[in-house]
Amino acid sequence: MTHIKLFSPGPIEVSEKTMRAFSRPMIGHRSKDFQTLNAAIQPGLQELFFTKQPVFVSTSSAWGVMEGALRNLVSKKVLCCMSGAFSDKWFDVAKKCGKQADALQVEWGQPILPEAIEAKLATGEFDAITLIHNETSTGTMNPLTEIAAVMKKFPDVMFIVDCVSSFSGMKIPFDELGIDVMLAGTQKALALPAGAAVFTVSEKAYAKAATIKDRGYYFDFLEFKKNQESDMTPTTPSISHFYALQSKLEDIAAEGLENRYARHLENAKVTRAWVKERGFAFFPKEGYESITLTCVANNKGIDVAKLNSLLKTKHSCVIDGGYGKIKGTSFRISHMGDESTENIKQLLGWIDGCIAEL
Ligand SMILES: Cc1ncc(COP(=O)(O)O)c(C=O)c1O
Protein backbone atom coordinates (compact mmCIF):
# COMPACT_ATOMS: atom_id res chain seq x y z
CA MET A 1 0.00 0.00 0.00
CA THR A 2 1.40 3.43 -0.90
CA HIS A 3 2.29 5.56 2.08
CA ILE A 4 0.10 8.66 1.85
CA LYS A 5 1.38 11.36 4.17
CA LEU A 6 -1.43 12.97 6.16
CA PHE A 7 -1.58 16.75 6.43
CA SER A 8 -5.15 16.49 7.69
CA PRO A 9 -5.58 17.48 11.34
CA GLY A 10 -5.46 14.06 12.90
CA PRO A 11 -4.55 11.30 12.54
CA ILE A 12 -1.30 12.75 11.25
CA GLU A 13 1.98 11.31 9.99
CA VAL A 14 3.69 9.00 12.51
CA SER A 15 7.49 8.74 12.32
CA GLU A 16 9.29 5.46 11.72
CA LYS A 17 10.96 5.78 15.13
CA THR A 18 7.55 6.06 16.82
CA MET A 19 6.18 3.13 14.80
CA ARG A 20 9.17 0.99 15.82
CA ALA A 21 8.46 1.77 19.47
CA PHE A 22 4.74 1.11 18.94
CA SER A 23 5.46 -2.35 17.53
CA ARG A 24 7.70 -3.58 20.36
CA PRO A 25 6.86 -7.03 21.80
CA MET A 26 4.09 -7.20 24.39
CA ILE A 27 4.72 -7.33 28.10
CA GLY A 28 2.20 -8.30 30.77
CA HIS A 29 0.26 -5.30 32.02
CA ARG A 30 0.53 -6.54 35.61
CA SER A 31 4.29 -7.02 35.32
CA LYS A 32 7.14 -5.10 36.90
CA ASP A 33 8.26 -4.18 33.36
CA PHE A 34 4.95 -2.43 32.72
CA GLN A 35 5.15 -0.57 36.03
CA THR A 36 8.66 0.57 35.10
CA LEU A 37 7.46 1.71 31.66
CA ASN A 38 4.45 3.57 33.06
CA ALA A 39 6.56 5.23 35.76
CA ALA A 40 9.18 6.21 33.19
CA ILE A 41 6.75 8.27 31.10
CA GLN A 42 5.18 10.12 34.07
CA PRO A 43 7.74 12.95 34.43
CA GLY A 44 7.65 13.77 30.69
CA LEU A 45 3.85 13.76 30.63
CA GLN A 46 3.65 15.93 33.76
CA GLU A 47 6.05 18.35 32.11
CA LEU A 48 3.83 18.57 29.03
CA PHE A 49 0.74 19.20 31.18
CA PHE A 50 2.64 21.54 33.53
CA THR A 51 1.19 19.66 36.47
CA LYS A 52 2.15 17.85 39.65
CA GLN A 53 -0.91 15.60 39.29
CA PRO A 54 -0.58 12.11 37.83
CA VAL A 55 -1.20 11.91 34.09
CA PHE A 56 -3.18 8.97 32.74
CA VAL A 57 -3.11 7.17 29.41
CA SER A 58 -6.60 6.03 28.52
CA THR A 59 -7.10 3.19 26.09
CA SER A 60 -9.85 5.01 24.29
CA SER A 61 -9.93 7.82 21.83
CA ALA A 62 -10.52 11.32 23.26
CA TRP A 63 -14.29 10.84 23.35
CA GLY A 64 -13.93 8.23 26.08
CA VAL A 65 -12.41 10.76 28.45
CA MET A 66 -14.78 13.50 27.23
CA GLU A 67 -17.75 11.35 28.14
CA GLY A 68 -16.01 10.16 31.30
CA ALA A 69 -15.48 13.73 32.50
CA LEU A 70 -19.25 14.33 32.31
CA ARG A 71 -20.00 11.11 34.15
CA ASN A 72 -17.44 11.82 36.88
CA LEU A 73 -18.18 15.48 37.47
CA VAL A 74 -21.67 16.65 36.55
CA SER A 75 -24.37 16.34 39.17
CA LYS A 76 -26.34 19.54 38.56
CA LYS A 77 -26.03 20.91 35.05
CA VAL A 78 -23.23 21.31 32.52
CA LEU A 79 -22.69 24.36 30.33
CA CYS A 80 -21.40 23.22 26.94
CA CYS A 81 -19.47 25.88 25.03
CA MET A 82 -20.25 25.17 21.38
CA SER A 83 -18.53 26.55 18.31
CA GLY A 84 -17.94 23.68 15.90
CA ALA A 85 -18.49 19.99 15.19
CA PHE A 86 -16.71 18.56 18.25
CA SER A 87 -17.89 21.08 20.83
CA ASP A 88 -21.47 20.86 19.48
CA LYS A 89 -21.34 17.09 19.81
CA TRP A 90 -20.20 17.29 23.46
CA PHE A 91 -23.60 18.81 24.27
CA ASP A 92 -25.35 15.82 22.64
CA VAL A 93 -23.09 13.42 24.51
CA ALA A 94 -23.97 15.12 27.83
CA LYS A 95 -27.66 14.58 27.10
CA LYS A 96 -27.02 10.98 26.04
CA CYS A 97 -25.35 10.46 29.44
CA GLY A 98 -28.59 11.67 31.03
CA LYS A 99 -27.08 14.94 32.25
CA GLN A 100 -28.84 18.29 32.42
CA ALA A 101 -27.07 20.46 29.85
CA ASP A 102 -27.30 23.95 28.44
CA ALA A 103 -25.74 25.28 25.25
CA LEU A 104 -23.54 28.33 24.93
CA GLN A 105 -23.62 28.33 21.14
CA VAL A 106 -21.72 30.71 18.90
CA GLU A 107 -21.44 30.59 15.13
CA TRP A 108 -18.79 28.20 13.79
CA GLY A 109 -15.50 30.10 13.50
CA GLN A 110 -16.39 32.58 16.23
CA PRO A 111 -14.59 32.30 19.56
CA ILE A 112 -16.13 31.52 22.94
CA LEU A 113 -15.63 34.70 24.92
CA PRO A 114 -15.05 34.82 28.68
CA GLU A 115 -17.85 37.38 29.21
CA ALA A 116 -20.40 35.00 27.74
CA ILE A 117 -19.27 32.21 30.08
CA GLU A 118 -19.34 34.54 33.08
CA ALA A 119 -22.90 35.66 32.33
CA LYS A 120 -24.08 32.04 32.14
CA LEU A 121 -22.25 30.87 35.26
CA ALA A 122 -23.49 33.85 37.26
CA THR A 123 -26.96 32.23 37.16
CA GLY A 124 -25.64 29.61 39.61
CA GLU A 125 -27.29 26.84 37.59
CA PHE A 126 -24.12 24.99 36.63
CA ASP A 127 -21.57 22.75 38.32
CA ALA A 128 -19.40 22.11 35.21
CA ILE A 129 -18.48 23.53 31.82
CA THR A 130 -17.04 21.87 28.74
CA LEU A 131 -14.71 23.85 26.52
CA ILE A 132 -12.78 22.84 23.44
CA HIS A 133 -9.60 24.88 23.40
CA ASN A 134 -8.82 24.31 19.73
CA GLU A 135 -11.96 23.51 17.72
CA THR A 136 -10.37 21.34 15.04
CA SER A 137 -13.37 21.44 12.70
CA THR A 138 -13.07 25.21 12.22
CA GLY A 139 -9.41 25.83 13.13
CA THR A 140 -10.48 28.24 15.85
CA MET A 141 -8.60 28.65 19.11
CA ASN A 142 -10.52 29.91 22.11
CA PRO A 143 -8.90 32.41 24.53
CA LEU A 144 -8.12 29.85 27.23
CA THR A 145 -6.10 32.09 29.55
CA GLU A 146 -8.87 34.71 29.69
CA ILE A 147 -11.53 32.05 30.15
CA ALA A 148 -9.47 30.45 32.94
CA ALA A 149 -9.34 33.83 34.71
CA VAL A 150 -13.16 33.96 34.68
CA MET A 151 -13.40 30.36 35.88
CA LYS A 152 -11.41 31.29 39.00
CA LYS A 153 -14.46 33.33 40.08
CA PHE A 154 -16.50 30.10 40.09
CA PRO A 155 -14.39 27.61 42.04
CA ASP A 156 -17.26 25.14 42.46
CA VAL A 157 -17.78 24.82 38.71
CA MET A 158 -15.70 22.04 37.17
CA PHE A 159 -13.60 23.32 34.28
CA ILE A 160 -13.35 20.52 31.68
CA VAL A 161 -11.07 21.35 28.78
CA ASP A 162 -10.45 19.42 25.57
CA CYS A 163 -6.98 20.24 24.28
CA VAL A 164 -7.17 17.38 21.82
CA SER A 165 -5.59 19.23 18.91
CA SER A 166 -3.53 21.89 20.72
CA PHE A 167 -1.80 19.79 23.38
CA SER A 168 2.00 19.77 23.09
CA GLY A 169 1.92 22.26 20.21
CA MET A 170 1.80 25.15 22.66
CA LYS A 171 2.12 25.71 26.39
CA ILE A 172 -1.09 24.93 28.30
CA PRO A 173 -0.27 25.02 32.03
CA PHE A 174 -2.90 22.86 33.72
CA ASP A 175 -2.12 23.69 37.38
CA GLU A 176 -1.66 27.42 36.81
CA LEU A 177 -4.85 27.81 34.77
CA GLY A 178 -6.89 25.97 37.41
CA ILE A 179 -8.29 23.44 34.94
CA ASP A 180 -10.08 20.44 36.48
CA VAL A 181 -9.84 17.96 33.61
CA MET A 182 -7.63 18.36 30.57
CA LEU A 183 -7.38 15.76 27.84
CA ALA A 184 -5.73 15.19 24.49
CA GLY A 185 -5.76 12.55 21.77
CA THR A 186 -2.60 10.74 20.73
CA GLN A 187 -3.22 11.14 16.99
CA LYS A 188 -2.85 14.93 16.91
CA ALA A 189 0.25 16.99 17.81
CA LEU A 190 1.81 14.08 19.71
CA ALA A 191 2.02 12.33 16.32
CA LEU A 192 1.33 8.84 17.68
CA PRO A 193 -1.03 6.24 16.29
CA ALA A 194 -4.72 6.87 16.98
CA GLY A 195 -6.57 4.99 19.72
CA ALA A 196 -5.45 6.46 23.03
CA ALA A 197 -5.86 9.66 25.01
CA VAL A 198 -3.89 11.34 27.78
CA PHE A 199 -5.50 13.29 30.59
CA THR A 200 -5.07 14.73 34.04
CA VAL A 201 -7.44 15.68 36.85
CA SER A 202 -7.34 18.26 39.66
CA GLU A 203 -7.67 17.52 43.40
CA LYS A 204 -10.95 19.43 43.35
CA ALA A 205 -12.26 17.16 40.60
CA TYR A 206 -11.32 13.99 42.49
CA ALA A 207 -13.24 15.31 45.50
CA LYS A 208 -16.26 16.05 43.30
CA ALA A 209 -16.08 12.63 41.60
CA ALA A 210 -16.13 10.97 45.03
CA THR A 211 -19.59 12.47 45.59
CA ILE A 212 -21.00 11.02 42.36
CA LYS A 213 -22.28 7.47 42.52
CA ASP A 214 -23.03 6.59 38.90
CA ARG A 215 -19.70 7.53 37.38
CA GLY A 216 -19.30 4.07 35.86
CA TYR A 217 -16.15 1.95 35.83
CA TYR A 218 -14.09 2.23 32.63
CA PHE A 219 -13.56 5.97 32.96
CA ASP A 220 -13.81 6.27 36.74
CA PHE A 221 -11.17 8.89 37.56
CA LEU A 222 -10.77 7.51 41.08
CA GLU A 223 -9.93 4.06 39.65
CA PHE A 224 -7.29 5.63 37.41
CA LYS A 225 -5.80 7.50 40.37
CA LYS A 226 -5.77 4.49 42.69
CA ASN A 227 -4.06 2.28 40.09
CA GLN A 228 -1.56 4.94 39.09
CA GLU A 229 -0.31 5.04 42.69
CA SER A 230 1.37 1.70 41.94
CA ASP A 231 2.16 2.61 38.29
CA MET A 232 -0.72 0.46 37.10
CA THR A 233 -3.83 1.00 34.98
CA PRO A 234 -7.40 -0.08 35.87
CA THR A 235 -7.72 -2.37 32.83
CA THR A 236 -5.44 -3.90 30.20
CA PRO A 237 -4.15 -0.84 28.36
CA SER A 238 -2.79 -0.36 24.87
CA ILE A 239 0.77 -1.13 25.97
CA SER A 240 2.01 -0.16 22.50
CA HIS A 241 0.88 3.42 23.15
CA PHE A 242 3.00 3.54 26.30
CA TYR A 243 6.07 2.53 24.29
CA ALA A 244 5.24 5.05 21.58
CA LEU A 245 4.75 7.77 24.19
CA GLN A 246 8.10 6.94 25.75
CA SER A 247 9.74 7.35 22.36
CA LYS A 248 7.89 10.61 21.66
CA LEU A 249 8.78 12.07 25.05
CA GLU A 250 12.45 11.38 24.24
CA ASP A 251 12.02 13.30 20.95
CA ILE A 252 10.32 16.20 22.75
CA ALA A 253 13.09 16.37 25.37
CA ALA A 254 15.73 16.34 22.63
CA GLU A 255 14.05 19.20 20.76
CA GLY A 256 13.19 21.17 23.90
CA LEU A 257 9.69 22.35 24.75
CA GLU A 258 10.31 25.98 23.80
CA ASN A 259 11.74 24.96 20.42
CA ARG A 260 8.77 22.68 19.86
CA TYR A 261 6.31 25.48 20.58
CA ALA A 262 8.27 27.93 18.42
CA ARG A 263 8.30 25.44 15.52
CA HIS A 264 4.52 25.00 15.72
CA LEU A 265 4.02 28.77 15.75
CA GLU A 266 6.38 29.24 12.81
CA ASN A 267 4.55 26.54 10.83
CA ALA A 268 1.29 28.38 11.50
CA LYS A 269 2.77 31.75 10.48
CA VAL A 270 4.14 30.38 7.19
CA THR A 271 0.75 28.80 6.39
CA ARG A 272 -1.17 31.96 7.31
CA ALA A 273 1.12 34.07 5.10
CA TRP A 274 0.47 31.66 2.21
CA VAL A 275 -3.32 31.97 2.77
CA LYS A 276 -3.13 35.76 2.57
CA GLU A 277 -0.73 35.88 -0.39
CA ARG A 278 -2.92 33.53 -2.46
CA GLY A 279 -6.05 35.61 -1.79
CA PHE A 280 -7.76 33.01 0.38
CA ALA A 281 -9.58 33.96 3.60
CA PHE A 282 -9.43 32.36 7.03
CA PHE A 283 -12.46 30.49 8.29
CA PRO A 284 -11.99 31.57 11.94
CA LYS A 285 -12.47 35.11 13.07
CA GLU A 286 -9.22 37.06 12.85
CA GLY A 287 -7.10 36.77 15.97
CA TYR A 288 -8.45 33.33 16.91
CA GLU A 289 -6.65 31.17 14.34
CA SER A 290 -5.34 27.84 15.54
CA ILE A 291 -1.60 27.28 15.96
CA THR A 292 -1.66 23.60 15.00
CA LEU A 293 -3.83 23.72 11.87
CA THR A 294 -5.17 26.31 9.46
CA CYS A 295 -8.78 26.26 8.33
CA VAL A 296 -9.06 28.14 5.05
CA ALA A 297 -12.37 29.52 3.80
CA ASN A 298 -12.67 28.41 0.20
CA ASN A 299 -13.63 31.91 -0.97
CA LYS A 300 -12.02 31.22 -4.36
CA GLY A 301 -14.26 28.22 -4.90
CA ILE A 302 -11.50 25.78 -5.84
CA ASP A 303 -12.34 22.13 -6.33
CA VAL A 304 -10.90 20.84 -3.04
CA ALA A 305 -11.67 17.19 -3.77
CA LYS A 306 -9.75 17.45 -7.05
CA LEU A 307 -6.90 19.31 -5.34
CA ASN A 308 -6.61 16.50 -2.83
CA SER A 309 -6.68 13.82 -5.49
CA LEU A 310 -3.84 15.62 -7.35
CA LEU A 311 -1.84 15.92 -4.12
CA LYS A 312 -2.33 12.24 -3.54
CA THR A 313 -1.26 11.04 -6.98
CA LYS A 314 1.56 13.52 -7.54
CA HIS A 315 3.00 13.96 -4.05
CA SER A 316 1.60 11.03 -1.98
CA CYS A 317 0.04 13.34 0.56
CA VAL A 318 -3.38 14.77 1.44
CA ILE A 319 -4.81 17.78 3.22
CA ASP A 320 -8.38 17.84 4.54
CA GLY A 321 -11.37 18.91 2.47
CA GLY A 322 -13.37 20.45 5.33
CA TYR A 323 -15.34 18.90 8.18
CA GLY A 324 -19.05 18.52 8.79
CA LYS A 325 -21.28 21.28 7.47
CA ILE A 326 -18.30 23.26 6.11
CA LYS A 327 -16.93 20.44 3.94
CA GLY A 328 -16.09 21.87 0.52
CA THR A 329 -16.55 25.49 1.60
CA SER A 330 -13.38 25.22 3.67
CA PHE A 331 -10.24 23.13 3.74
CA ARG A 332 -7.77 22.40 6.52
CA ILE A 333 -4.00 22.09 6.54
CA SER A 334 -2.39 20.46 9.56
CA HIS A 335 1.04 21.76 10.58
CA MET A 336 1.40 19.97 13.88
CA GLY A 337 3.40 17.03 15.14
CA ASP A 338 6.83 16.33 13.73
CA GLU A 339 6.56 18.65 10.70
CA SER A 340 9.43 21.03 10.13
CA THR A 341 8.77 24.48 8.67
CA GLU A 342 10.65 23.32 5.55
CA ASN A 343 8.15 20.46 5.15
CA ILE A 344 5.25 22.88 5.43
CA LYS A 345 6.78 25.22 2.82
CA GLN A 346 7.24 22.23 0.52
CA LEU A 347 3.62 21.20 1.02
CA LEU A 348 2.38 24.74 0.26
CA GLY A 349 4.47 24.69 -2.94
CA TRP A 350 2.84 21.39 -3.92
CA ILE A 351 -0.60 22.85 -3.25
CA ASP A 352 0.25 25.84 -5.49
CA GLY A 353 1.31 23.47 -8.28
CA CYS A 354 -1.86 21.39 -7.98
CA ILE A 355 -4.13 24.46 -7.83
CA ALA A 356 -2.54 25.67 -11.08
CA GLU A 357 -3.71 22.41 -12.71
CA LEU A 358 -7.33 22.61 -11.51
C1 LIG B 1 -11.08 18.99 19.32
C2 LIG B 1 -11.46 17.56 19.22
N1 LIG B 1 -12.11 16.98 20.23
C3 LIG B 1 -12.46 15.70 20.20
C4 LIG B 1 -12.19 14.91 19.11
C5 LIG B 1 -12.61 13.49 19.13
O1 LIG B 1 -11.50 12.67 19.11
P1 LIG B 1 -11.63 11.08 18.91
O2 LIG B 1 -12.41 10.86 17.67
O3 LIG B 1 -10.20 10.68 18.80
O4 LIG B 1 -12.30 10.55 20.13
C6 LIG B 1 -11.52 15.45 18.02
C7 LIG B 1 -11.23 14.65 16.83
O5 LIG B 1 -10.74 15.09 15.83
C8 LIG B 1 -11.15 16.81 18.08
O6 LIG B 1 -10.50 17.37 17.07
Side-chain angles (χ1 to χ4, degrees):
M1 209 168 85
T2 324
H3 177 167
I4 303 294
K5 189 168 175 182
L6 301 176
F7 288 98
S8 46
I12 61 168
E13 176 77 0
V14 177
S15 73
E16 282 178 20
K17 173 176 181 280
T18 303
M19 283 313 294
R20 275 197 304 276
F22 191 76
S23 51
R24 285 184 67 174
M26 279 300 107
I27 49 174
H29 73 295
R30 295 292 177 225
S31 68
K32 183 77 198 133
D33 283 348
F34 178 75
Q35 287 174 299
T36 306
L37 172 63
N38 191 10
I41 63 173
Q42 267 304 302
L45 286 173
Q46 286 173 315
E47 214 180 300
L48 276 182
F49 275 92
F50 293 84
T51 187
K52 294 192 178 63
Q53 297 296 336
V55 176
F56 309 118
V57 180
S58 171
T59 299
S60 68
S61 74
W63 272 116
V65 183
M66 292 162 80
E67 176 170 331
L70 298 165
R71 299 193 64 185
N72 275 267
L73 300 177
V74 180
S75 56
K76 211 156 74 174
K77 194 176 192 182
V78 58
L79 178 67
C80 297
C81 301
M82 297 157 64
S83 57
F86 299 104
S87 47
D88 288 6
K89 188 167 160 185
W90 216 347
F91 176 62
D92 293 337
V93 172
K95 287 188 294 185
K96 283 184 176 160
C97 289
K99 301 293 179 186
Q100 293 283 321
D102 200 358
L104 171 52
Q105 177 88 66
V106 299
E107 237 178 82
W108 284 28
Q110 294 297 311
I112 302 286
L113 294 177
E115 309 83 84
I117 293 178
E118 184 161 9
K120 283 278 195 183
L121 296 187
T123 62
E125 285 176 38
F126 302 97
D127 61 350
I129 80 162
T130 61
L131 176 76
I132 290 193
H133 174 219
N134 191 56
E135 182 40 89
T136 322
S137 62
T138 66
T140 310
M141 199 168 252
N142 286 311
L144 183 59
T145 308
E146 291 78 1
I147 292 172
V150 160
M151 291 306 297
K152 288 191 175 153
K153 299 183 191 173
F154 302 95
D156 296 334
V157 179
M158 293 289 123
F159 187 20
I160 306 168
V161 186
D162 162 327
C163 294
V164 166
S165 59
S166 50
F167 180 72
S168 89
M170 61 188 290
K171 180 175 177 179
I172 311 171
F174 176 83
D175 288 350
E176 190 185 314
L177 293 176
I179 298 172
D180 291 303
V181 179
M182 175 168 148
L183 68 120
T186 50
Q187 77 275 28
K188 310 283 182 181
L190 284 172
L192 304 181
V198 288
F199 72 105
T200 191
V201 177
S202 72
E203 289 297 339
K204 222 171 20 154
Y206 289 124
K208 177 74 190 275
T211 68
I212 294 189
K213 288 200 173 55
D214 55 355
R215 54 182 191 276
Y217 170 66
Y218 197 71
F219 296 107
D220 179 357
F221 292 168
L222 299 179
E223 281 285 341
F224 273 92
K225 184 167 184 261
K226 190 176 76 191
N227 278 275
Q228 189 65 36
E229 281 160 13
S230 51
D231 302 313
M232 289 285 186
T233 52
T235 59
T236 317
S238 169
I239 295 162
S240 307
H241 275 97
F242 286 72
Y243 279 130
L245 263 170
Q246 186 180 40
S247 165
K248 178 53 60 186
L249 290 168
E250 280 165 19
D251 300 345
I252 293 175
E255 182 178 17
L257 270 186
E258 290 309 320
N259 291 338
R260 179 177 173 84
Y261 298 151
R263 174 170 58 81
H264 276 86
L265 187 59
E266 190 55 27
N267 288 355
K269 283 185 178 165
V270 162
T271 312
R272 290 174 197 162
W274 175 88
V275 170
K276 284 188 187 155
E277 280 161 20
R278 299 300 177 272
F280 282 112
F282 295 102
F283 187 83
K285 185 182 161 103
E286 199 180 341
Y288 297 94
E289 299 90 351
S290 163
I291 284 176
T292 50
L293 70 135
T294 296
C295 186
V296 186
N298 188 9
N299 51 308
K300 294 169 74 173
I302 61 164
D303 184 340
V304 179
K306 188 152 176 221
L307 164 66
N308 239 351
S309 111
L310 283 171
L311 281 169
K312 199 168 176 179
T313 47
K314 294 177 86 113
H315 304 291
S316 299
C317 73
V318 284
I319 58 168
D320 174 84
Y323 194 93
K325 68 182 183 189
I326 56 171
K327 191 177 174 69
T329 56
S330 68
F331 59 93
R332 300 179 300 167
I333 301 170
S334 164
H335 29 74
M336 62 180 115
D338 298 334
E339 300 308 333
S340 67
T341 303
E342 280 316 305
N343 287 354
I344 298 302
K345 285 182 183 163
Q346 183 182 51
L347 169 69
L348 296 170
W350 289 340
I351 297 176
D352 279 336
C354 292
I355 288 178
E357 283 187 39
L358 290 176

